[in-house]
Amino acid sequence: MPIEGFDYKEFATAMSEQAKELVPADLNDMQKNYVVKTLANFTMLAGEAISKDESLGFNAEQAIFVSQVIAEWAFHKSIDLIHSGILPENWDSIMQKIAFSIFEVAKQGIKKNIPQDQLLQLVEHHVVKTYTAAIDDLLQKGKINEEIKERAVRQSNIDAMAQQVQEEQQKQEQQIQQQQATQGIQVPATPASSLPQNQAASSSRIIRLATVAIILKKMPESKVRTILSSFSERDAQTIIDYMATDDLEETMDKTLTFKCLREMKKHLPKHRKRTSAMVLKDLNEVFETKDRNEIDKSIKDERPYIRKFIDQAYEGEFYNLPVKVAGIIAQHVRDSV
């Protein structure tokens, strides 16, 4: 029975259209088509499976969440495969494993009522795990060499896009600062009347919500949903309305936007680069409260390098893994015991 409010065919088409606008310019036409086609196919299959499985009992929001996550990771990992140098004949098998892993993890996570932010982290862990295992399998079968394997494992289009968004935001802030410095612009005490939808110009709340909308328009939808969940229903709806305004950036007074960004930045936690010591500290907190047999049982089916990582962490040593991957494993261990 179809899920009310969820048309999986329409959703898959919409996601593929968005993907066309985001595919990296360095890909050739064949590669671009592969990314879009792969995303559309897996999104369609996931949506259809959810819609036809009445035992799941998913509503439209849950169906969209699973389909959205599969679409986003299909986009990023297909690009990673292309950039890795692995031959096209091996792409489909890897992407099928990744899509299946995401579908099962997301489906079970929703059924167990795992909080969305934790579920997204768990999905990422399994994506990395499945992708790495598939690459190792190609190496063992002699289809790639060690150099291509290392290049493939290093690929992370999702991180590259996040970095690009951050750099664009910083660039915009710098341009506004330069404009203020050269033109002597003073930030007015009250908002200008150029806000969209004729909202009250004197409302600092509206300025703040519109500024948040500008930021969220540049972020993946899965992260947008997580951020919006921290707002009240009323404010979240206002932000969504502003995000739907095509010329929001143009109609907002840039000096006010920049002022609001600076005020918001004061209240954000200071970013600290993740280090191996931080990961070990997180794991030690788990080790102090959980029995080792329980932890070992939770990771007995994991890859050998994960078990090795945990064993060395017990000794206070950091196994040679990328810090980001180690952090995901540590979170997985915390959530599993």
Side-chain angles (χ1 to χ4, degrees):
M1 179 182 294
I3 298 174
E4 184 178 356
F6 177 62
D7 184 330
Y8 65 86
K9 294 181 181 179
E10 182 179 312
F11 184 80
T13 300
M15 292 302 297
S16 64
E17 289 299 318
Q18 291 182 35
K20 291 177 183 178
E21 304 298 323
L22 297 173
V23 176
D26 65 327
L27 303 188
N28 61 39
D29 289 342
M30 182 278 288
Q31 294 166 338
K32 291 179 180 178
N33 289 335
Y34 179 80
V35 172
V36 175
K37 181 180 178 181
T38 299
L39 177 150
N41 287 344
F42 286 140
T43 306
M44 179 86 72
L45 289 172
E48 182 178 15
I50 294 171
S51 297
K52 292 184 176 180
D53 190 346
E54 296 184 10
S55 66
L56 292 176
F58 283 0
N59 58 31
E61 182 180 354
Q62 293 168 327
I64 289 172
F65 173 78
V66 176
S67 301
Q68 173 91 32
V69 172
I70 287 180
E72 291 183 358
W73 278 112
F75 177 82
H76 293 301
K77 298 316 290 183
S78 58
I79 292 173
D80 287 347
L81 280 175
I82 292 170
H83 283 156
S84 71
I86 293 175
L87 294 177
E89 63 200 50
N90 298 309
W91 294 350
D92 282 348
S93 63
I94 296 175
M95 292 305 304
Q96 287 167 5
K97 293 174 183 177
I98 292 173
F100 177 78
S101 174
I102 296 170
F103 183 76
E104 289 301 315
V105 171
K107 184 175 67 174
Q108 294 302 321
I110 290 176
K111 291 173 68 175
K112 295 178 181 179
N113 295 316
I114 296 176
Q116 192 174 102
D117 56 342
Q118 294 181 23
L119 182 52
L120 288 172
Q121 290 180 341
L122 192 58
V123 166
E124 182 174 8
H125 165 71
H126 281 276
V127 168
V128 173
K129 174 183 173 182
T130 303
Y131 177 76
T132 303
I135 301 301
D136 285 339
D137 185 56
L138 289 181
L139 178 66
Q140 294 171 7
K141 292 179 178 178
K143 295 184 177 181
I144 61 173
N145 56 29
E146 190 69 35
E147 180 182 354
I148 292 179
K149 174 202 167 182
E150 292 300 322
R151 187 192 309 153
V153 172
R154 288 197 304 269
Q155 299 299 319
S156 182
N157 185 68
I158 191 171
D159 288 340
M161 286 191 67
Q163 179 66 27
Q164 182 181 0
V165 169
Q166 183 179 12
E167 290 174 354
E168 289 176 354
Q169 291 174 347
Q170 291 175 346
K171 185 178 179 180
Q172 289 175 359
E173 290 182 8
Q174 291 171 355
Q175 289 174 343
I176 294 173
Q177 285 178 318
Q178 292 171 358
Q179 183 183 30
Q180 291 176 330
T182 57
Q183 298 181 10
I185 297 176
Q186 298 297 319
V187 178
T190 57
S193 59
S194 56
L195 279 172
Q197 299 181 7
N198 297 319
Q199 296 288 348
S202 61
S203 172
S204 60
R205 169 180 164 274
I206 292 299
I207 290 286
R208 177 175 63 87
L209 297 180
T211 302
V212 171
I214 291 175
I215 297 172
L216 296 188
K217 286 176 72 174
K218 299 180 179 294
M219 298 179 67
E221 286 193 30
S222 57
K223 293 185 178 180
V224 170
R225 288 194 298 270
T226 301
I227 293 173
L228 286 177
S229 66
S230 65
F231 288 84
S232 68
E233 184 176 345
R234 176 192 175 194
D235 285 352
Q237 186 57 55
T238 300
I239 293 171
I240 292 172
D241 290 341
Y242 280 137
M243 290 175 67
T245 305
D246 293 334
D247 58 349
L248 178 61
E249 292 86 347
E250 287 70 28
T251 55
M252 282 285 291
D253 187 307
K254 289 183 172 57
T255 58
L256 293 174
T257 304
F258 180 63
K259 179 183 178 182
C260 187
L261 284 170
R262 286 188 299 177
E263 289 299 318
M264 292 166 62
K265 189 175 181 180
K266 291 179 183 178
H267 301 286
L268 291 175
K270 298 295 183 182
H271 173 71
R272 292 190 302 160
K273 184 176 181 181
R274 191 78 164 154
T275 65
S276 58
M278 292 178 185
V279 176
L280 289 177
K281 181 177 180 295
D282 290 344
L283 282 172
N284 282 332
E285 293 177 357
V286 179
F287 297 159
E288 290 173 358
T289 58
K290 300 296 181 180
D291 182 74
R292 178 158 185 175
N293 289 331
E294 186 180 356
I295 294 175
D296 289 343
K297 183 178 179 180
S298 71
I299 62 171
K300 65 182 179 65
D301 295 325
E302 297 289 352
R303 299 283 297 175
Y305 75 87
I306 294 180
R307 298 198 296 273
K308 178 69 172 178
F309 169 73
I310 298 300
D311 288 341
Q312 291 200 196
Y314 268 108
E315 304 299 324
E317 300 177 358
F318 188 83
Y319 186 58
N320 187 25
L321 284 176
V323 174
K324 182 175 181 180
V325 174
I328 294 172
I329 295 172
Q331 183 64 46
H332 174 61
V333 171
R334 182 188 296 274
D335 295 338
S336 301
V337 295

